[in-house]
Amino acid sequence: MIDSKLSQEFVANLSALHDFKAQIIDRNGFIVASCCPQNVGNFHEEAYQMLQQNNFLAQQQSVPSEEGIATLYVPLTQNQHVVGLLQITGDEKTVRIYASAVKLSLETLMEHDLNSVKLQKYNSKTDLFIQKLLYDTQVSRSELESRAASLGYAYDCLRIPVFIVTDHYSDFSSLLQQGKNNPCYHSQDILTLSRSGNITLFIYLGYGEDVLRTYRDTVTEYLVWWQESLSALGFTYWMQVGTIQSNLGYYRIAYDHAVWLHNTARLQESVNWFYDHTETYLKRIVPLMEYRGIFSTFTENLSPAFLKTFSELIGTLAECNYSLQPASQKLYVHKNTLAFRIGKIKERLNINPMQDYRNRDFANNFCLYLKMILP
């Protein structure tokens, strides 16, 4: 559900800051906010068809009468479900660069608005503890300790979060209760649902140095019950494992790391570990404008087709440690075809990331920037 007042305020602020023309369309195809107020309430046939066919991820239309002007349709999501479209019209290069940032800003506002309403519903001791633990940036140590103690949770043991996302939404409250039947369950485990309704586990690991050596085996064994239970219910799942923390005050950060694996890194293995992606995370938290200052000249002078190919090819090579055989298998092309495409990149940019580590650093970082700005 898209709030019309929130949407109208967002579009008004966007129009005041940029030369974009923007509209927000709900799942039923009706315009709920527009830079042209008279359009609000009108039915948008083209957007409706895109939503019905899920055919909007890279939709772009150039307006013939205005060279260099383009319209981009970007999906808006809540709880992993598409709830509408953001339509942005403006200078083609500028729109391509800012579309993802505008989408993220709007979705963040929508999520905040939704959570403000949900927060009023939490009144049990456990619910209030979880809200303080995961979402309250100002909560004190004494309050967390007090709330944890009243529920029987230790403050300073080692735990690790697992954020579980499934291919379609369901109420997992009953499954969460059954989670105590897991042979690996410990009374110090914290099992809850996130605000978006996803299963969130804080698995008890114990104390001391040995945990750092054995935690992967512990978590892997613990998750078997959850994997079997979700599979038996017919769900496809993605389990994102965050960072180990030694006191409750840092659990919000650990939880954010786990969520980042799914929402930002968009990793699609059934189980992913944050510690395997720390370099990518540290690079991604550098402000987008810093990347833009470094790479914008390249994006302005290279064709969209080349940029898309570069992003796909270099991204896959990086995942495969620049080994041709596994990368070609992942891209479903022959190794010689992949070598030919790498040759095209070398010819176009005069770089050889296969042999020169400095070129490889450039290619990896440019690829990271492209993934942030390309639809």
Side-chain angles (χ1 to χ4, degrees), residues 174-220:
S174 296
L175 184 61
L176 211 64
Q177 292 298 319
Q178 296 170 31
K180 296 180 179 180
N181 298 327
N182 184 345
C184 297
Y185 172 78
H186 191 282
S187 61
Q188 286 296 321
D189 295 337
I190 301 174
L191 313 181
T192 187
L193 295 177
S194 70
R195 287 178 176 175
S196 56
N198 292 301
I199 298 166
T200 303
L201 316 173
F202 284 92
I203 301 172
Y204 171 78
L205 299 174
Y207 294 87
E209 181 181 332
D210 281 349
V211 168
L212 306 180
R213 177 175 55 84
T214 62
Y215 78 92
R216 290 208 183 204
D217 293 335
T218 301
V219 173
T220 298

mmCIF file of all heavy atoms in Angstrom, residues 174-220:
data_model
loop_
_atom_site.group_PDB
_atom_site.id
_atom_site.type_symbol
_atom_site.label_atom_id
_atom_site.label_comp_id
_atom_site.label_asym_id
_atom_site.label_seq_id
_atom_site.Cartn_x
_atom_site.Cartn_y
_atom_site.Cartn_z
ATOM 1 N N SER A 174 4.007 -19.530 13.799
ATOM 2 C CA SER A 174 3.932 -20.914 14.291
ATOM 3 C C SER A 174 5.258 -21.630 14.106
ATOM 4 O O SER A 174 5.722 -22.364 14.996
ATOM 5 C CB SER A 174 2.820 -21.674 13.556
ATOM 6 O OG SER A 174 1.559 -21.110 13.838
ATOM 7 N N LEU A 175 5.887 -21.426 12.938
ATOM 8 C CA LEU A 175 7.181 -22.073 12.686
ATOM 9 C C LEU A 175 8.221 -21.576 13.679
ATOM 10 O O LEU A 175 9.086 -22.352 14.122
ATOM 11 C CB LEU A 175 7.635 -21.787 11.250
ATOM 12 C CG LEU A 175 8.927 -22.480 10.807
ATOM 13 C CD1 LEU A 175 8.781 -23.997 10.874
ATOM 14 C CD2 LEU A 175 9.316 -22.048 9.395
ATOM 15 N N LEU A 176 8.117 -20.316 14.057
ATOM 16 C CA LEU A 176 9.057 -19.757 15.021
ATOM 17 C C LEU A 176 8.934 -20.480 16.370
ATOM 18 O O LEU A 176 9.937 -20.785 17.018
ATOM 19 C CB LEU A 176 8.782 -18.261 15.190
ATOM 20 C CG LEU A 176 9.978 -17.373 15.529
ATOM 21 C CD1 LEU A 176 10.988 -17.381 14.386
ATOM 22 C CD2 LEU A 176 9.523 -15.957 15.806
ATOM 23 N N GLN A 177 7.717 -20.759 16.775
ATOM 24 C CA GLN A 177 7.504 -21.504 18.013
ATOM 25 C C GLN A 177 8.062 -22.920 17.910
ATOM 26 O O GLN A 177 8.657 -23.450 18.851
ATOM 27 C CB GLN A 177 6.006 -21.556 18.341
ATOM 28 C CG GLN A 177 5.416 -20.210 18.724
ATOM 29 C CD GLN A 177 6.049 -19.648 19.989
ATOM 30 O OE1 GLN A 177 6.293 -20.368 20.948
ATOM 31 N NE2 GLN A 177 6.327 -18.344 19.984
ATOM 32 N N GLN A 178 7.897 -23.525 16.727
ATOM 33 C CA GLN A 178 8.409 -24.880 16.524
ATOM 34 C C GLN A 178 9.936 -24.910 16.494
ATOM 35 O O GLN A 178 10.553 -25.968 16.666
ATOM 36 C CB GLN A 178 7.862 -25.445 15.212
ATOM 37 C CG GLN A 178 6.350 -25.624 15.187
ATOM 38 C CD GLN A 178 5.838 -25.945 13.797
ATOM 39 O OE1 GLN A 178 6.529 -26.564 12.999
ATOM 40 N NE2 GLN A 178 4.620 -25.501 13.492
ATOM 41 N N GLY A 179 10.547 -23.735 16.274
ATOM 42 C CA GLY A 179 12.004 -23.663 16.218
ATOM 43 C C GLY A 179 12.675 -24.146 17.485
ATOM 44 O O GLY A 179 13.846 -24.542 17.479
ATOM 45 N N LYS A 180 11.936 -24.175 18.592
ATOM 46 C CA LYS A 180 12.489 -24.675 19.852
ATOM 47 C C LYS A 180 12.615 -26.198 19.841
ATOM 48 O O LYS A 180 13.234 -26.779 20.739
ATOM 49 C CB LYS A 180 11.620 -24.216 21.016
ATOM 50 C CG LYS A 180 11.622 -22.695 21.183
ATOM 51 C CD LYS A 180 10.751 -22.241 22.339
ATOM 52 C CE LYS A 180 10.785 -20.724 22.487
ATOM 53 N NZ LYS A 180 9.959 -20.231 23.608
ATOM 54 N N ASN A 181 12.017 -26.834 18.817
ATOM 55 C CA ASN A 181 12.161 -28.291 18.666
ATOM 56 C C ASN A 181 13.450 -28.665 17.939
ATOM 57 O O ASN A 181 13.782 -29.843 17.815
ATOM 58 C CB ASN A 181 10.973 -28.859 17.895
ATOM 59 C CG ASN A 181 9.663 -28.641 18.627
ATOM 60 O OD1 ASN A 181 9.627 -28.650 19.856
ATOM 61 N ND2 ASN A 181 8.577 -28.432 17.886
ATOM 62 N N ASN A 182 14.131 -27.677 17.418
ATOM 63 C CA ASN A 182 15.411 -27.896 16.747
ATOM 64 C C ASN A 182 16.370 -28.580 17.734
ATOM 65 O O ASN A 182 16.571 -28.093 18.846
ATOM 66 C CB ASN A 182 15.967 -26.536 16.318
ATOM 67 C CG ASN A 182 17.259 -26.642 15.521
ATOM 68 O OD1 ASN A 182 17.913 -27.685 15.489
ATOM 69 N ND2 ASN A 182 17.638 -25.553 14.885
ATOM 70 N N PRO A 183 16.960 -29.726 17.369
ATOM 71 C CA PRO A 183 17.885 -30.420 18.280
ATOM 72 C C PRO A 183 19.045 -29.536 18.737
ATOM 73 O O PRO A 183 19.624 -29.776 19.798
ATOM 74 C CB PRO A 183 18.396 -31.599 17.438
ATOM 75 C CG PRO A 183 17.338 -31.816 16.409
ATOM 76 C CD PRO A 183 16.765 -30.467 16.103
ATOM 77 N N CYS A 184 19.364 -28.508 17.946
ATOM 78 C CA CYS A 184 20.479 -27.628 18.287
ATOM 79 C C CYS A 184 20.025 -26.382 19.052
ATOM 80 O O CYS A 184 20.847 -25.530 19.396
ATOM 81 C CB CYS A 184 21.216 -27.189 17.018
ATOM 82 S SG CYS A 184 21.969 -28.548 16.099
ATOM 83 N N TYR A 185 18.731 -26.269 19.325
ATOM 84 C CA TYR A 185 18.218 -25.074 19.996
ATOM 85 C C TYR A 185 18.804 -24.948 21.396
ATOM 86 O O TYR A 185 18.971 -25.933 22.119
ATOM 87 C CB TYR A 185 16.694 -25.139 20.087
ATOM 88 C CG TYR A 185 16.086 -24.043 20.924
ATOM 89 C CD1 TYR A 185 15.932 -22.758 20.420
ATOM 90 C CD2 TYR A 185 15.680 -24.293 22.245
ATOM 91 C CE1 TYR A 185 15.391 -21.742 21.194
ATOM 92 C CE2 TYR A 185 15.135 -23.288 23.030
ATOM 93 C CZ TYR A 185 14.993 -22.014 22.505
ATOM 94 O OH TYR A 185 14.460 -21.012 23.280
ATOM 95 N N HIS A 186 19.109 -23.704 21.773
ATOM 96 C CA HIS A 186 19.613 -23.400 23.116
ATOM 97 C C HIS A 186 18.714 -22.337 23.737
ATOM 98 O O HIS A 186 18.196 -21.462 23.035
ATOM 99 C CB HIS A 186 21.060 -22.893 23.025
ATOM 100 C CG HIS A 186 21.759 -22.790 24.346
ATOM 101 N ND1 HIS A 186 21.549 -21.740 25.232
ATOM 102 C CD2 HIS A 186 22.682 -23.605 24.944
ATOM 103 C CE1 HIS A 186 22.297 -21.901 26.297
ATOM 104 N NE2 HIS A 186 22.999 -23.032 26.160
ATOM 105 N N SER A 187 18.535 -22.387 25.022
ATOM 106 C CA SER A 187 17.640 -21.436 25.694
ATOM 107 C C SER A 187 18.102 -19.994 25.531
ATOM 108 O O SER A 187 17.323 -19.061 25.730
ATOM 109 C CB SER A 187 17.529 -21.788 27.179
ATOM 110 O OG SER A 187 18.809 -21.710 27.803
ATOM 111 N N GLN A 188 19.374 -19.792 25.151
ATOM 112 C CA GLN A 188 19.888 -18.440 24.939
ATOM 113 C C GLN A 188 19.734 -17.972 23.488
ATOM 114 O O GLN A 188 20.119 -16.846 23.145
ATOM 115 C CB GLN A 188 21.361 -18.353 25.354
ATOM 116 C CG GLN A 188 21.568 -18.366 26.852
ATOM 117 C CD GLN A 188 20.948 -17.145 27.525
ATOM 118 O OE1 GLN A 188 20.997 -16.032 27.015
ATOM 119 N NE2 GLN A 188 20.338 -17.365 28.694
ATOM 120 N N ASP A 189 19.165 -18.822 22.635
ATOM 121 C CA ASP A 189 18.866 -18.390 21.268
ATOM 122 C C ASP A 189 17.715 -17.385 21.303
ATOM 123 O O ASP A 189 16.767 -17.535 22.092
ATOM 124 C CB ASP A 189 18.439 -19.572 20.393
ATOM 125 C CG ASP A 189 19.557 -20.579 20.190
ATOM 126 O OD1 ASP A 189 20.731 -20.192 20.338
ATOM 127 O OD2 ASP A 189 19.243 -21.748 19.897
ATOM 128 N N ILE A 190 17.788 -16.384 20.449
ATOM 129 C CA ILE A 190 16.702 -15.411 20.319
ATOM 130 C C ILE A 190 16.065 -15.621 18.944
ATOM 131 O O ILE A 190 16.709 -15.416 17.914
ATOM 132 C CB ILE A 190 17.218 -13.972 20.459
ATOM 133 C CG1 ILE A 190 17.898 -13.781 21.815
ATOM 134 C CG2 ILE A 190 16.083 -12.965 20.281
ATOM 135 C CD1 ILE A 190 18.580 -12.419 21.987
ATOM 136 N N LEU A 191 14.808 -16.066 18.936
ATOM 137 C CA LEU A 191 14.093 -16.330 17.693
ATOM 138 C C LEU A 191 12.977 -15.294 17.563
ATOM 139 O O LEU A 191 12.152 -15.148 18.461
ATOM 140 C CB LEU A 191 13.479 -17.734 17.700
ATOM 141 C CG LEU A 191 14.373 -18.896 18.164
ATOM 142 C CD1 LEU A 191 13.603 -20.210 18.068
ATOM 143 C CD2 LEU A 191 15.650 -18.960 17.347
ATOM 144 N N THR A 192 12.931 -14.589 16.440
ATOM 145 C CA THR A 192 11.927 -13.538 16.282
ATOM 146 C C THR A 192 11.610 -13.325 14.812
ATOM 147 O O THR A 192 12.209 -13.952 13.930
ATOM 148 C CB THR A 192 12.427 -12.221 16.924
ATOM 149 O OG1 THR A 192 11.374 -11.262 16.908
ATOM 150 C CG2 THR A 192 13.627 -11.659 16.173
ATOM 151 N N LEU A 193 10.657 -12.449 14.552
ATOM 152 C CA LEU A 193 10.332 -12.013 13.197
ATOM 153 C C LEU A 193 10.733 -10.556 13.055
ATOM 154 O O LEU A 193 10.529 -9.748 13.967
ATOM 155 C CB LEU A 193 8.831 -12.162 12.910
ATOM 156 C CG LEU A 193 8.264 -13.579 12.906
ATOM 157 C CD1 LEU A 193 6.760 -13.535 12.690
ATOM 158 C CD2 LEU A 193 8.919 -14.435 11.826
ATOM 159 N N SER A 194 11.321 -10.215 11.918
ATOM 160 C CA SER A 194 11.657 -8.818 11.661
ATOM 161 C C SER A 194 10.381 -8.030 11.383
ATOM 162 O O SER A 194 9.294 -8.598 11.244
ATOM 163 C CB SER A 194 12.591 -8.717 10.454
ATOM 164 O OG SER A 194 11.885 -9.033 9.262
ATOM 165 N N ARG A 195 10.501 -6.726 11.288
ATOM 166 C CA ARG A 195 9.332 -5.909 10.971
ATOM 167 C C ARG A 195 8.739 -6.272 9.617
ATOM 168 O O ARG A 195 7.554 -6.092 9.380
ATOM 169 C CB ARG A 195 9.722 -4.424 10.977
ATOM 170 C CG ARG A 195 9.952 -3.868 12.378
ATOM 171 C CD ARG A 195 10.386 -2.424 12.302
ATOM 172 N NE ARG A 195 10.521 -1.832 13.635
ATOM 173 C CZ ARG A 195 10.982 -0.611 13.861
ATOM 174 N NH1 ARG A 195 11.368 0.143 12.850
ATOM 175 N NH2 ARG A 195 11.069 -0.136 15.094
ATOM 176 N N SER A 196 9.576 -6.761 8.713
ATOM 177 C CA SER A 196 9.098 -7.159 7.392
ATOM 178 C C SER A 196 8.525 -8.569 7.389
ATOM 179 O O SER A 196 8.088 -9.065 6.352
ATOM 180 C CB SER A 196 10.237 -7.066 6.366
ATOM 181 O OG SER A 196 11.343 -7.838 6.783
ATOM 182 N N GLY A 197 8.509 -9.239 8.572
ATOM 183 C CA GLY A 197 7.917 -10.567 8.671
ATOM 184 C C GLY A 197 8.869 -11.699 8.373
ATOM 185 O O GLY A 197 8.445 -12.862 8.288
ATOM 186 N N ASN A 198 10.158 -11.410 8.220
ATOM 187 C CA ASN A 198 11.136 -12.454 7.925
ATOM 188 C C ASN A 198 11.691 -13.060 9.214
ATOM 189 O O ASN A 198 11.875 -12.373 10.225
ATOM 190 C CB ASN A 198 12.292 -11.874 7.102
ATOM 191 C CG ASN A 198 11.854 -11.465 5.714
ATOM 192 O OD1 ASN A 198 11.365 -12.284 4.949
ATOM 193 N ND2 ASN A 198 12.000 -10.195 5.400
ATOM 194 N N ILE A 199 11.972 -14.356 9.161
ATOM 195 C CA ILE A 199 12.530 -15.068 10.312
ATOM 196 C C ILE A 199 13.923 -14.515 10.619
ATOM 197 O O ILE A 199 14.762 -14.373 9.726
ATOM 198 C CB ILE A 199 12.617 -16.574 10.024
ATOM 199 C CG1 ILE A 199 11.226 -17.148 9.792
ATOM 200 C CG2 ILE A 199 13.326 -17.306 11.152
ATOM 201 C CD1 ILE A 199 11.237 -18.538 9.187
ATOM 202 N N THR A 200 14.158 -14.191 11.878
ATOM 203 C CA THR A 200 15.457 -13.686 12.309
ATOM 204 C C THR A 200 15.904 -14.469 13.538
ATOM 205 O O THR A 200 15.172 -14.550 14.524
ATOM 206 C CB THR A 200 15.390 -12.181 12.638
ATOM 207 O OG1 THR A 200 14.915 -11.474 11.490
ATOM 208 C CG2 THR A 200 16.754 -11.652 13.032
ATOM 209 N N LEU A 201 17.088 -15.054 13.450
ATOM 210 C CA LEU A 201 17.626 -15.873 14.536
ATOM 211 C C LEU A 201 18.897 -15.225 15.077
ATOM 212 O O LEU A 201 19.727 -14.738 14.299
ATOM 213 C CB LEU A 201 17.977 -17.279 14.024
ATOM 214 C CG LEU A 201 16.974 -17.979 13.102
ATOM 215 C CD1 LEU A 201 17.588 -19.279 12.581
ATOM 216 C CD2 LEU A 201 15.676 -18.252 13.833
ATOM 217 N N PHE A 202 19.046 -15.220 16.386
ATOM 218 C CA PHE A 202 20.327 -14.896 17.010
ATOM 219 C C PHE A 202 20.779 -16.170 17.713
ATOM 220 O O PHE A 202 20.284 -16.528 18.779
ATOM 221 C CB PHE A 202 20.185 -13.730 17.988
ATOM 222 C CG PHE A 202 20.064 -12.399 17.312
ATOM 223 C CD1 PHE A 202 18.815 -11.879 17.008
ATOM 224 C CD2 PHE A 202 21.194 -11.679 16.944
ATOM 225 C CE1 PHE A 202 18.694 -10.662 16.367
ATOM 226 C CE2 PHE A 202 21.082 -10.456 16.307
ATOM 227 C CZ PHE A 202 19.830 -9.943 16.013
ATOM 228 N N ILE A 203 21.708 -16.859 17.062
ATOM 229 C CA ILE A 203 22.126 -18.187 17.521
ATOM 230 C C ILE A 203 23.204 -18.056 18.594
ATOM 231 O O ILE A 203 24.228 -17.393 18.401
ATOM 232 C CB ILE A 203 22.644 -19.019 16.335
ATOM 233 C CG1 ILE A 203 21.550 -19.162 15.268
ATOM 234 C CG2 ILE A 203 23.132 -20.386 16.800
ATOM 235 C CD1 ILE A 203 22.033 -19.814 13.986
ATOM 236 N N TYR A 204 22.961 -18.692 19.731
ATOM 237 C CA TYR A 204 23.919 -18.691 20.842
ATOM 238 C C TYR A 204 25.152 -19.505 20.457
ATOM 239 O O TYR A 204 25.050 -20.646 19.992
ATOM 240 C CB TYR A 204 23.266 -19.286 22.083
ATOM 241 C CG TYR A 204 24.205 -19.546 23.229
ATOM 242 C CD1 TYR A 204 24.640 -18.506 24.038
ATOM 243 C CD2 TYR A 204 24.644 -20.843 23.517
ATOM 244 C CE1 TYR A 204 25.502 -18.739 25.104
ATOM 245 C CE2 TYR A 204 25.499 -21.090 24.583
ATOM 246 C CZ TYR A 204 25.930 -20.032 25.375
ATOM 247 O OH TYR A 204 26.776 -20.267 26.426
ATOM 248 N N LEU A 205 26.343 -18.903 20.635
ATOM 249 C CA LEU A 205 27.587 -19.581 20.296
ATOM 250 C C LEU A 205 28.420 -19.934 21.522
ATOM 251 O O LEU A 205 29.300 -20.791 21.448
ATOM 252 C CB LEU A 205 28.431 -18.709 19.355
ATOM 253 C CG LEU A 205 27.792 -18.360 18.004
ATOM 254 C CD1 LEU A 205 28.681 -17.366 17.245
ATOM 255 C CD2 LEU A 205 27.563 -19.614 17.169
ATOM 256 N N GLY A 206 28.169 -19.256 22.656
ATOM 257 C CA GLY A 206 28.930 -19.537 23.867
ATOM 258 C C GLY A 206 29.860 -18.397 24.229
ATOM 259 O O GLY A 206 29.568 -17.224 24.008
ATOM 260 N N TYR A 207 31.041 -18.753 24.734
ATOM 261 C CA TYR A 207 32.026 -17.768 25.175
ATOM 262 C C TYR A 207 33.412 -18.221 24.728
ATOM 263 O O TYR A 207 33.658 -19.410 24.511
ATOM 264 C CB TYR A 207 32.017 -17.628 26.697
ATOM 265 C CG TYR A 207 30.745 -17.055 27.279
ATOM 266 C CD1 TYR A 207 29.679 -17.896 27.591
ATOM 267 C CD2 TYR A 207 30.621 -15.693 27.543
ATOM 268 C CE1 TYR A 207 28.514 -17.382 28.148
ATOM 269 C CE2 TYR A 207 29.465 -15.176 28.096
ATOM 270 C CZ TYR A 207 28.411 -16.016 28.403
ATOM 271 O OH TYR A 207 27.257 -15.512 28.946
ATOM 272 N N GLY A 208 34.317 -17.285 24.579
ATOM 273 C CA GLY A 208 35.725 -17.621 24.415
ATOM 274 C C GLY A 208 36.216 -17.759 22.993
ATOM 275 O O GLY A 208 35.454 -17.735 22.016
ATOM 276 N N GLU A 209 37.525 -17.957 22.891
ATOM 277 C CA GLU A 209 38.231 -17.985 21.613
ATOM 278 C C GLU A 209 37.807 -19.138 20.716
ATOM 279 O O GLU A 209 37.789 -19.017 19.486
ATOM 280 C CB GLU A 209 39.744 -18.060 21.892
ATOM 281 C CG GLU A 209 40.608 -18.072 20.650
ATOM 282 C CD GLU A 209 42.076 -18.174 20.990
ATOM 283 O OE1 GLU A 209 42.479 -17.712 22.090
ATOM 284 O OE2 GLU A 209 42.833 -18.722 20.172
ATOM 285 N N ASP A 210 37.461 -20.277 21.296
ATOM 286 C CA ASP A 210 37.110 -21.441 20.490
ATOM 287 C C ASP A 210 35.924 -21.178 19.574
ATOM 288 O O ASP A 210 35.810 -21.793 18.503
ATOM 289 C CB ASP A 210 36.793 -22.645 21.390
ATOM 290 C CG ASP A 210 38.059 -23.319 21.896
ATOM 291 O OD1 ASP A 210 39.146 -22.979 21.384
ATOM 292 O OD2 ASP A 210 37.956 -24.159 22.795
ATOM 293 N N VAL A 211 35.047 -20.268 19.982
ATOM 294 C CA VAL A 211 33.879 -19.935 19.155
ATOM 295 C C VAL A 211 34.315 -19.452 17.779
ATOM 296 O O VAL A 211 33.694 -19.784 16.756
ATOM 297 C CB VAL A 211 33.025 -18.858 19.856
ATOM 298 C CG1 VAL A 211 31.984 -18.274 18.896
ATOM 299 C CG2 VAL A 211 32.333 -19.448 21.082
ATOM 300 N N LEU A 212 35.391 -18.669 17.727
ATOM 301 C CA LEU A 212 35.849 -18.095 16.467
ATOM 302 C C LEU A 212 36.350 -19.168 15.503
ATOM 303 O O LEU A 212 36.369 -18.962 14.291
ATOM 304 C CB LEU A 212 36.957 -17.071 16.729
ATOM 305 C CG LEU A 212 36.593 -15.960 17.727
ATOM 306 C CD1 LEU A 212 37.762 -15.007 17.920
ATOM 307 C CD2 LEU A 212 35.350 -15.205 17.262
ATOM 308 N N ARG A 213 36.744 -20.302 16.050
ATOM 309 C CA ARG A 213 37.225 -21.411 15.220
ATOM 310 C C ARG A 213 36.090 -22.308 14.750
ATOM 311 O O ARG A 213 36.138 -22.876 13.662
ATOM 312 C CB ARG A 213 38.262 -22.220 16.010
ATOM 313 C CG ARG A 213 38.804 -23.440 15.301
ATOM 314 C CD ARG A 213 39.906 -24.091 16.125
ATOM 315 N NE ARG A 213 39.456 -24.421 17.478
ATOM 316 C CZ ARG A 213 38.804 -25.540 17.781
ATOM 317 N NH1 ARG A 213 38.515 -26.417 16.839
ATOM 318 N NH2 ARG A 213 38.447 -25.783 19.028
ATOM 319 N N THR A 214 35.043 -22.417 15.563
ATOM 320 C CA THR A 214 34.011 -23.433 15.298
ATOM 321 C C THR A 214 32.646 -22.869 14.896
ATOM 322 O O THR A 214 31.741 -23.638 14.618
ATOM 323 C CB THR A 214 33.813 -24.300 16.549
ATOM 324 O OG1 THR A 214 33.359 -23.463 17.637
ATOM 325 C CG2 THR A 214 35.114 -24.979 16.962
ATOM 326 N N TYR A 215 32.505 -21.522 14.869
ATOM 327 C CA TYR A 215 31.149 -20.977 14.703
ATOM 328 C C TYR A 215 30.479 -21.388 13.393
ATOM 329 O O TYR A 215 29.268 -21.594 13.348
ATOM 330 C CB TYR A 215 31.171 -19.448 14.846
ATOM 331 C CG TYR A 215 31.671 -18.698 13.631
ATOM 332 C CD1 TYR A 215 30.786 -18.243 12.650
ATOM 333 C CD2 TYR A 215 33.024 -18.438 13.455
ATOM 334 C CE1 TYR A 215 31.236 -17.546 11.536
ATOM 335 C CE2 TYR A 215 33.481 -17.751 12.362
ATOM 336 C CZ TYR A 215 32.594 -17.303 11.400
ATOM 337 O OH TYR A 215 33.035 -16.620 10.301
ATOM 338 N N ARG A 216 31.248 -21.543 12.328
ATOM 339 C CA ARG A 216 30.620 -21.913 11.043
ATOM 340 C C ARG A 216 30.023 -23.316 11.111
ATOM 341 O O ARG A 216 28.932 -23.548 10.590
ATOM 342 C CB ARG A 216 31.634 -21.817 9.897
ATOM 343 C CG ARG A 216 32.018 -20.385 9.581
ATOM 344 C CD ARG A 216 32.413 -20.199 8.145
ATOM 345 N NE ARG A 216 32.833 -18.834 7.891
ATOM 346 C CZ ARG A 216 32.800 -18.261 6.712
ATOM 347 N NH1 ARG A 216 32.342 -18.917 5.665
ATOM 348 N NH2 ARG A 216 33.215 -17.022 6.546
ATOM 349 N N ASP A 217 30.739 -24.219 11.742
ATOM 350 C CA ASP A 217 30.206 -25.569 11.898
ATOM 351 C C ASP A 217 28.956 -25.552 12.777
ATOM 352 O O ASP A 217 27.964 -26.237 12.487
ATOM 353 C CB ASP A 217 31.262 -26.485 12.518
ATOM 354 C CG ASP A 217 32.444 -26.720 11.593
ATOM 355 O OD1 ASP A 217 32.260 -26.599 10.366
ATOM 356 O OD2 ASP A 217 33.542 -27.004 12.100
ATOM 357 N N THR A 218 29.003 -24.750 13.844
ATOM 358 C CA THR A 218 27.855 -24.650 14.755
ATOM 359 C C THR A 218 26.626 -24.123 14.026
ATOM 360 O O THR A 218 25.521 -24.679 14.133
ATOM 361 C CB THR A 218 28.186 -23.713 15.934
ATOM 362 O OG1 THR A 218 29.317 -24.221 16.643
ATOM 363 C CG2 THR A 218 27.001 -23.590 16.875
ATOM 364 N N VAL A 219 26.799 -23.044 13.260
ATOM 365 C CA VAL A 219 25.680 -22.427 12.541
ATOM 366 C C VAL A 219 25.168 -23.347 11.444
ATOM 367 O O VAL A 219 23.958 -23.506 11.254
ATOM 368 C CB VAL A 219 26.099 -21.058 11.955
ATOM 369 C CG1 VAL A 219 24.998 -20.491 11.063
ATOM 370 C CG2 VAL A 219 26.415 -20.078 13.079
ATOM 371 N N THR A 220 26.092 -23.968 10.715
ATOM 372 C CA THR A 220 25.692 -24.875 9.632
ATOM 373 C C THR A 220 24.817 -26.009 10.169
ATOM 374 O O THR A 220 23.783 -26.345 9.590
ATOM 375 C CB THR A 220 26.942 -25.457 8.938
ATOM 376 O OG1 THR A 220 27.691 -24.385 8.360
ATOM 377 C CG2 THR A 220 26.541 -26.443 7.848
#
